[in-house]
Amino acid sequence: MAILKRFRALIGLLLVLGFIYLFNQETAQDAVFLTWDSLVDMMALLPPILMLVGLMDQWIDKEMLMKYMGDDSKFTGIFITLLLGGLAAGPLYIAFPIAIMLLKKGSNIRYVVFFFGVWTIAKLPIVLYEIASFGWGYTIVHVGFGLVFFYIMGIIFERIFDKDELIKQDIT
Amino acid sequence: MNIAFFLYSVIGVLSIISFFTDREKTKRAAKKAWNMFSKLLPELMAILLFVGLSLSILTPEFISSFIGDQSGALGVVVSTVIGSVALLPSFVVFPLGETLVQNGAGLPQVSALMAALVAVGFASLPMEIKLFGRRFAYMRNGSAVLMSVLFAMIVWVIF
């Protein structure tokens, strides 16, 4: 039963896929091919990132990280978060293990929430796509507003959540 | 695949340097990386299948039919919902948005859709709950929904 529970989301989605297949075989086949494509994309990103997280976990000193991203870090925290999130590649779930590592090393919750925000809206490669499709003005409004919004959210989350209780499952 | 090549090479070199500096640390790092991978795998497979389903169902024609130029506030709500539930690779999001606008969808509605697509993760919610707890995951995604709606309103006023 435990295994069934672990895979329940996957089983549910497979049922949806089967259901779609009954009505529209072509869409279902597309879905299978597209899933394969995203599996290939995932394998391009996740294993090296996890290895990087593992290395950072071993080599980065807790005191050092706390100094730069801890409670009293101010601008270095913002700067490092922008750098980490902005140079990132890939979907949000790749950011989760990185966030766990940062939290374990004593990073402030504010920067972790801000990091998710930066990861979703200010990744440099994606921003280039946005500029190409919608122009500079639109992109600056989107990224600028998003960054301010998620920084404020970070401040709010920092007050609500207890750092020591945030990590529910230490996957490392 | 360029990003993949870059990542694998850089992190491969870092791992080799690390290995020659301290074997034990590097072994522990590799073990941690593998543990993370195997623990994330069930949710990960579900997310990948979800991406496949989203991409196959959400064709530009399908979305355009919901969020035309005249769809107004309701269109913003619909696109925020679609954007929150679906998960598309982020490099697909903006070209898709451009196609939608060309097909007659309104810019504020498309903005809400794109902002929600990138910032709200319904598909990765089980993983987020598992790692950070229900309250954090719901609140973070809730704040991202709020961000998408506010952004659509800003676009509505400015552009």
PDB file of all heavy atoms in Angstrom, chain B residues 66-91:
ATOM      1  N   PHE B  66     -11.005  30.331 -25.238  1.00  0.00           N
ATOM      2  CA  PHE B  66     -11.495  30.732 -23.909  1.00  0.00           C
ATOM      3  C   PHE B  66     -11.219  32.187 -23.579  1.00  0.00           C
ATOM      4  O   PHE B  66     -11.943  32.808 -22.816  1.00  0.00           O
ATOM      5  CB  PHE B  66     -10.840  29.886 -22.815  1.00  0.00           C
ATOM      6  CG  PHE B  66     -11.357  28.501 -22.748  1.00  0.00           C
ATOM      7  CD1 PHE B  66     -10.654  27.456 -23.324  1.00  0.00           C
ATOM      8  CD2 PHE B  66     -12.561  28.234 -22.109  1.00  0.00           C
ATOM      9  CE1 PHE B  66     -11.133  26.170 -23.265  1.00  0.00           C
ATOM     10  CE2 PHE B  66     -13.044  26.946 -22.053  1.00  0.00           C
ATOM     11  CZ  PHE B  66     -12.339  25.905 -22.632  1.00  0.00           C
ATOM     12  N   ILE B  67     -10.114  32.730 -24.102  1.00  0.00           N
ATOM     13  CA  ILE B  67      -9.687  34.034 -23.600  1.00  0.00           C
ATOM     14  C   ILE B  67      -9.531  35.050 -24.729  1.00  0.00           C
ATOM     15  O   ILE B  67      -8.465  35.612 -24.931  1.00  0.00           O
ATOM     16  CB  ILE B  67      -8.379  33.924 -22.790  1.00  0.00           C
ATOM     17  CG1 ILE B  67      -7.279  33.179 -23.572  1.00  0.00           C
ATOM     18  CG2 ILE B  67      -8.622  33.203 -21.483  1.00  0.00           C
ATOM     19  CD1 ILE B  67      -5.916  33.275 -22.911  1.00  0.00           C
ATOM     20  N   GLY B  68     -10.596  35.286 -25.456  1.00  0.00           N
ATOM     21  CA  GLY B  68     -10.572  36.270 -26.522  1.00  0.00           C
ATOM     22  C   GLY B  68     -10.411  37.686 -25.996  1.00  0.00           C
ATOM     23  O   GLY B  68     -10.422  37.926 -24.780  1.00  0.00           O
ATOM     24  N   ASP B  69     -10.282  38.617 -26.919  1.00  0.00           N
ATOM     25  CA  ASP B  69     -10.067  40.016 -26.617  1.00  0.00           C
ATOM     26  C   ASP B  69     -11.174  40.601 -25.737  1.00  0.00           C
ATOM     27  O   ASP B  69     -10.954  41.488 -24.923  1.00  0.00           O
ATOM     28  CB  ASP B  69     -10.025  40.787 -27.959  1.00  0.00           C
ATOM     29  CG  ASP B  69      -8.942  41.830 -27.939  1.00  0.00           C
ATOM     30  OD1 ASP B  69      -8.345  42.023 -26.873  1.00  0.00           O
ATOM     31  OD2 ASP B  69      -8.715  42.444 -28.993  1.00  0.00           O
ATOM     32  N   GLN B  70     -12.395  40.059 -25.904  1.00  0.00           N
ATOM     33  CA  GLN B  70     -13.549  40.620 -25.195  1.00  0.00           C
ATOM     34  C   GLN B  70     -13.861  39.864 -23.905  1.00  0.00           C
ATOM     35  O   GLN B  70     -14.889  40.101 -23.279  1.00  0.00           O
ATOM     36  CB  GLN B  70     -14.791  40.590 -26.111  1.00  0.00           C
ATOM     37  CG  GLN B  70     -14.578  41.228 -27.472  1.00  0.00           C
ATOM     38  CD  GLN B  70     -14.197  42.694 -27.354  1.00  0.00           C
ATOM     39  OE1 GLN B  70     -14.777  43.419 -26.541  1.00  0.00           O
ATOM     40  NE2 GLN B  70     -13.223  43.145 -28.133  1.00  0.00           N
ATOM     41  N   SER B  71     -13.003  38.953 -23.512  1.00  0.00           N
ATOM     42  CA  SER B  71     -13.374  38.084 -22.389  1.00  0.00           C
ATOM     43  C   SER B  71     -13.291  38.768 -21.022  1.00  0.00           C
ATOM     44  O   SER B  71     -13.830  38.267 -20.038  1.00  0.00           O
ATOM     45  CB  SER B  71     -12.516  36.809 -22.398  1.00  0.00           C
ATOM     46  OG  SER B  71     -11.154  37.147 -22.308  1.00  0.00           O
ATOM     47  N   GLY B  72     -12.595  39.917 -20.949  1.00  0.00           N
ATOM     48  CA  GLY B  72     -12.629  40.736 -19.743  1.00  0.00           C
ATOM     49  C   GLY B  72     -12.101  40.060 -18.488  1.00  0.00           C
ATOM     50  O   GLY B  72     -11.197  39.230 -18.557  1.00  0.00           O
ATOM     51  N   ALA B  73     -12.696  40.442 -17.327  1.00  0.00           N
ATOM     52  CA  ALA B  73     -12.211  39.939 -16.037  1.00  0.00           C
ATOM     53  C   ALA B  73     -12.378  38.430 -15.944  1.00  0.00           C
ATOM     54  O   ALA B  73     -11.531  37.733 -15.396  1.00  0.00           O
ATOM     55  CB  ALA B  73     -12.954  40.626 -14.902  1.00  0.00           C
ATOM     56  N   LEU B  74     -13.478  37.922 -16.500  1.00  0.00           N
ATOM     57  CA  LEU B  74     -13.705  36.476 -16.471  1.00  0.00           C
ATOM     58  C   LEU B  74     -12.570  35.750 -17.219  1.00  0.00           C
ATOM     59  O   LEU B  74     -12.088  34.704 -16.781  1.00  0.00           O
ATOM     60  CB  LEU B  74     -15.059  36.132 -17.091  1.00  0.00           C
ATOM     61  CG  LEU B  74     -15.471  34.669 -16.978  1.00  0.00           C
ATOM     62  CD1 LEU B  74     -15.718  34.291 -15.523  1.00  0.00           C
ATOM     63  CD2 LEU B  74     -16.698  34.373 -17.825  1.00  0.00           C
ATOM     64  N   GLY B  75     -12.144  36.365 -18.323  1.00  0.00           N
ATOM     65  CA  GLY B  75     -11.029  35.801 -19.086  1.00  0.00           C
ATOM     66  C   GLY B  75      -9.755  35.740 -18.265  1.00  0.00           C
ATOM     67  O   GLY B  75      -8.997  34.767 -18.349  1.00  0.00           O
ATOM     68  N   VAL B  76      -9.539  36.778 -17.427  1.00  0.00           N
ATOM     69  CA  VAL B  76      -8.357  36.787 -16.561  1.00  0.00           C
ATOM     70  C   VAL B  76      -8.453  35.637 -15.559  1.00  0.00           C
ATOM     71  O   VAL B  76      -7.485  34.911 -15.324  1.00  0.00           O
ATOM     72  CB  VAL B  76      -8.211  38.143 -15.825  1.00  0.00           C
ATOM     73  CG1 VAL B  76      -7.102  38.066 -14.768  1.00  0.00           C
ATOM     74  CG2 VAL B  76      -7.916  39.254 -16.814  1.00  0.00           C
ATOM     75  N   VAL B  77      -9.662  35.437 -15.012  1.00  0.00           N
ATOM     76  CA  VAL B  77      -9.848  34.348 -14.043  1.00  0.00           C
ATOM     77  C   VAL B  77      -9.589  32.995 -14.714  1.00  0.00           C
ATOM     78  O   VAL B  77      -8.837  32.164 -14.200  1.00  0.00           O
ATOM     79  CB  VAL B  77     -11.276  34.381 -13.448  1.00  0.00           C
ATOM     80  CG1 VAL B  77     -11.507  33.154 -12.559  1.00  0.00           C
ATOM     81  CG2 VAL B  77     -11.481  35.654 -12.646  1.00  0.00           C
ATOM     82  N   VAL B  78     -10.213  32.807 -15.901  1.00  0.00           N
ATOM     83  CA  VAL B  78     -10.045  31.534 -16.616  1.00  0.00           C
ATOM     84  C   VAL B  78      -8.573  31.286 -16.937  1.00  0.00           C
ATOM     85  O   VAL B  78      -8.052  30.186 -16.715  1.00  0.00           O
ATOM     86  CB  VAL B  78     -10.882  31.516 -17.923  1.00  0.00           C
ATOM     87  CG1 VAL B  78     -10.544  30.294 -18.762  1.00  0.00           C
ATOM     88  CG2 VAL B  78     -12.365  31.539 -17.599  1.00  0.00           C
ATOM     89  N   SER B  79      -7.878  32.327 -17.431  1.00  0.00           N
ATOM     90  CA  SER B  79      -6.485  32.094 -17.816  1.00  0.00           C
ATOM     91  C   SER B  79      -5.604  31.857 -16.593  1.00  0.00           C
ATOM     92  O   SER B  79      -4.640  31.094 -16.666  1.00  0.00           O
ATOM     93  CB  SER B  79      -5.919  33.223 -18.682  1.00  0.00           C
ATOM     94  OG  SER B  79      -6.452  34.444 -18.354  1.00  0.00           O
ATOM     95  N   THR B  80      -5.953  32.502 -15.458  1.00  0.00           N
ATOM     96  CA  THR B  80      -5.170  32.238 -14.242  1.00  0.00           C
ATOM     97  C   THR B  80      -5.351  30.782 -13.811  1.00  0.00           C
ATOM     98  O   THR B  80      -4.389  30.113 -13.422  1.00  0.00           O
ATOM     99  CB  THR B  80      -5.587  33.178 -13.100  1.00  0.00           C
ATOM    100  OG1 THR B  80      -5.547  34.521 -13.571  1.00  0.00           O
ATOM    101  CG2 THR B  80      -4.653  33.039 -11.905  1.00  0.00           C
ATOM    102  N   VAL B  81      -6.594  30.289 -13.922  1.00  0.00           N
ATOM    103  CA  VAL B  81      -6.864  28.894 -13.542  1.00  0.00           C
ATOM    104  C   VAL B  81      -6.111  27.933 -14.466  1.00  0.00           C
ATOM    105  O   VAL B  81      -5.400  27.026 -13.999  1.00  0.00           O
ATOM    106  CB  VAL B  81      -8.375  28.588 -13.562  1.00  0.00           C
ATOM    107  CG1 VAL B  81      -8.608  27.094 -13.376  1.00  0.00           C
ATOM    108  CG2 VAL B  81      -9.086  29.370 -12.471  1.00  0.00           C
ATOM    109  N   ILE B  82      -6.228  28.148 -15.789  1.00  0.00           N
ATOM    110  CA  ILE B  82      -5.519  27.278 -16.739  1.00  0.00           C
ATOM    111  C   ILE B  82      -4.022  27.332 -16.483  1.00  0.00           C
ATOM    112  O   ILE B  82      -3.341  26.317 -16.408  1.00  0.00           O
ATOM    113  CB  ILE B  82      -5.802  27.694 -18.208  1.00  0.00           C
ATOM    114  CG1 ILE B  82      -7.282  27.511 -18.551  1.00  0.00           C
ATOM    115  CG2 ILE B  82      -4.957  26.852 -19.175  1.00  0.00           C
ATOM    116  CD1 ILE B  82      -7.631  27.910 -19.973  1.00  0.00           C
ATOM    117  N   GLY B  83      -3.501  28.563 -16.295  1.00  0.00           N
ATOM    118  CA  GLY B  83      -2.067  28.736 -16.078  1.00  0.00           C
ATOM    119  C   GLY B  83      -1.581  28.080 -14.798  1.00  0.00           C
ATOM    120  O   GLY B  83      -0.464  27.588 -14.731  1.00  0.00           O
ATOM    121  N   SER B  84      -2.442  28.065 -13.767  1.00  0.00           N
ATOM    122  CA  SER B  84      -2.034  27.454 -12.498  1.00  0.00           C
ATOM    123  C   SER B  84      -2.008  25.948 -12.592  1.00  0.00           C
ATOM    124  O   SER B  84      -1.125  25.287 -12.044  1.00  0.00           O
ATOM    125  CB  SER B  84      -2.993  27.868 -11.377  1.00  0.00           C
ATOM    126  OG  SER B  84      -3.094  29.258 -11.313  1.00  0.00           O
ATOM    127  N   VAL B  85      -3.010  25.375 -13.270  1.00  0.00           N
ATOM    128  CA  VAL B  85      -3.131  23.923 -13.319  1.00  0.00           C
ATOM    129  C   VAL B  85      -2.116  23.321 -14.285  1.00  0.00           C
ATOM    130  O   VAL B  85      -1.467  22.325 -13.981  1.00  0.00           O
ATOM    131  CB  VAL B  85      -4.567  23.514 -13.703  1.00  0.00           C
ATOM    132  CG1 VAL B  85      -4.647  22.011 -13.910  1.00  0.00           C
ATOM    133  CG2 VAL B  85      -5.544  23.947 -12.617  1.00  0.00           C
ATOM    134  N   ALA B  86      -1.954  23.954 -15.443  1.00  0.00           N
ATOM    135  CA  ALA B  86      -1.049  23.385 -16.442  1.00  0.00           C
ATOM    136  C   ALA B  86       0.399  23.646 -16.078  1.00  0.00           C
ATOM    137  O   ALA B  86       0.715  24.530 -15.291  1.00  0.00           O
ATOM    138  CB  ALA B  86      -1.350  23.984 -17.809  1.00  0.00           C
ATOM    139  N   LEU B  87       1.254  22.826 -16.618  1.00  0.00           N
ATOM    140  CA  LEU B  87       2.684  23.034 -16.419  1.00  0.00           C
ATOM    141  C   LEU B  87       3.359  22.883 -17.768  1.00  0.00           C
ATOM    142  O   LEU B  87       3.327  21.823 -18.369  1.00  0.00           O
ATOM    143  CB  LEU B  87       3.236  22.007 -15.433  1.00  0.00           C
ATOM    144  CG  LEU B  87       4.697  22.169 -15.087  1.00  0.00           C
ATOM    145  CD1 LEU B  87       4.866  23.254 -14.046  1.00  0.00           C
ATOM    146  CD2 LEU B  87       5.286  20.879 -14.566  1.00  0.00           C
ATOM    147  N   LEU B  88       3.910  23.982 -18.255  1.00  0.00           N
ATOM    148  CA  LEU B  88       4.616  23.931 -19.531  1.00  0.00           C
ATOM    149  C   LEU B  88       6.078  24.300 -19.288  1.00  0.00           C
ATOM    150  O   LEU B  88       6.378  25.070 -18.385  1.00  0.00           O
ATOM    151  CB  LEU B  88       4.009  24.916 -20.532  1.00  0.00           C
ATOM    152  CG  LEU B  88       2.529  24.769 -20.900  1.00  0.00           C
ATOM    153  CD1 LEU B  88       2.166  25.787 -21.970  1.00  0.00           C
ATOM    154  CD2 LEU B  88       2.225  23.369 -21.403  1.00  0.00           C
ATOM    155  N   PRO B  89       6.987  23.769 -20.081  1.00  0.00           N
ATOM    156  CA  PRO B  89       8.382  24.205 -19.959  1.00  0.00           C
ATOM    157  C   PRO B  89       8.456  25.705 -20.198  1.00  0.00           C
ATOM    158  O   PRO B  89       7.762  26.228 -21.080  1.00  0.00           O
ATOM    159  CB  PRO B  89       9.087  23.449 -21.088  1.00  0.00           C
ATOM    160  CG  PRO B  89       8.153  22.389 -21.520  1.00  0.00           C
ATOM    161  CD  PRO B  89       6.777  22.825 -21.173  1.00  0.00           C
ATOM    162  N   SER B  90       9.274  26.411 -19.395  1.00  0.00           N
ATOM    163  CA  SER B  90       9.191  27.872 -19.432  1.00  0.00           C
ATOM    164  C   SER B  90       9.603  28.464 -20.768  1.00  0.00           C
ATOM    165  O   SER B  90       9.126  29.516 -21.147  1.00  0.00           O
ATOM    166  CB  SER B  90       9.987  28.490 -18.285  1.00  0.00           C
ATOM    167  OG  SER B  90      11.108  27.719 -17.975  1.00  0.00           O
ATOM    168  N   PHE B  91      10.449  27.756 -21.531  1.00  0.00           N
ATOM    169  CA  PHE B  91      10.830  28.354 -22.820  1.00  0.00           C
ATOM    170  C   PHE B  91       9.716  28.222 -23.861  1.00  0.00           C
ATOM    171  O   PHE B  91       9.775  28.847 -24.909  1.00  0.00           O
ATOM    172  CB  PHE B  91      12.135  27.746 -23.353  1.00  0.00           C
ATOM    173  CG  PHE B  91      12.104  26.252 -23.494  1.00  0.00           C
ATOM    174  CD1 PHE B  91      11.618  25.674 -24.645  1.00  0.00           C
ATOM    175  CD2 PHE B  91      12.544  25.438 -22.451  1.00  0.00           C
ATOM    176  CE1 PHE B  91      11.584  24.296 -24.766  1.00  0.00           C
ATOM    177  CE2 PHE B  91      12.508  24.063 -22.571  1.00  0.00           C
ATOM    178  CZ  PHE B  91      12.021  23.490 -23.731  1.00  0.00           C
TER     179      PHE B  91
END
